[in-house]
Amino acid sequence: MKAGYLAAATAALLAAVPIAAQDYRLGTLTVTHAWTRQTAPSQSVGGGFLTVANGGKAADRLVAASSPVSARVELHTMSMEGGVMRMRQVTGGLDVPAGGKLELKPGGYHLMLIGLKKPLVRGTAVPVTLQFQRAGKVTVQLKVESISYGGGK
């Protein structure tokens, strides 16, 4: 009985610990915690989120992204205007400051996968190629999480 309790407690603990996402390096840039949410069968758009840390002494800029799972990927931002949530495409890219980081997260800057070719399924991964102004390109895998993951913040 004690062994069964210990096994159940261990399983619960393991279920509560998030699986570490794979990190990606490109020169002085490190991309971490790349993820997206599962989508409904008829949903044609999805968001992408990640963090880019710049360990270098020169700033860089995320200028574009692409993925084989969607017709296009745009850089977007969300903001509150007069009590209404607005989402807009960002033109010109997003700064990754020297010694700093760029966070793409729910409610702020994010990737917008437009024209999904099929639903994003929880537990799978979505390849996205990020294009930086100085460092070049890197392909990362967005881990597909549940619809409620990230809490919308």
Side-chain angles (χ1 to χ4, degrees), residues 103-124:
E103 290 184 89
L104 304 181
K105 59 185 180 183
Y109 293 121
H110 59 279
L111 301 172
M112 196 71 184
L113 292 87
I114 300 172
L116 290 173
K117 297 174 182 172
K118 61 182 183 179
L120 304 180
V121 178
R122 183 179 179 187
T124 63

Side-chain angles (χ1 to χ4, degrees), residues 14-141:
L14 290 174
V17 176
I19 297 171
Q22 186 172 357
D23 296 346
Y24 303 88
R25 284 199 166 268
L26 178 65
T28 62
L29 303 178
T30 304
V31 179
T32 59
H33 195 211
W35 63 280
T36 185
R37 292 188 180 114
Q38 70 186 81
T39 58
S42 62
Q43 192 172 335
S44 63
V45 297
F49 313 98
L50 51 87
T51 299
V52 182
N54 184 351
K57 295 183 179 183
D60 208 328
R61 180 175 281 268
L62 176 61
V63 293
S66 62
S67 176
V69 304
S70 63
R72 66 184 190 277
V73 179
E74 296 179 352
L75 306 175
H76 276 211
T77 187
M78 292 184 86
S79 61
M80 290 297 289
E81 295 178 16
V84 177
M85 182 67 79
R86 303 263 184 208
M87 184 168 50
R88 291 197 168 88
Q89 183 178 9
V90 174
T91 57
L94 298 170
D95 290 332
V96 186
K101 63 183 177 181
L102 166 66
E103 290 184 89
L104 304 181
K105 59 185 180 183
Y109 293 121
H110 59 279
L111 301 172
M112 196 71 184
L113 292 87
I114 300 172
L116 290 173
K117 297 174 182 172
K118 61 182 183 179
L120 304 180
V121 178
R122 183 179 179 187
T124 63
V126 174
V128 171
T129 300
L130 305 171
Q131 172 72 52
F132 293 92
Q133 189 173 41
R134 296 173 58 95
K137 293 181 180 181
V138 63
T139 299
V140 303
Q141 299 290 323

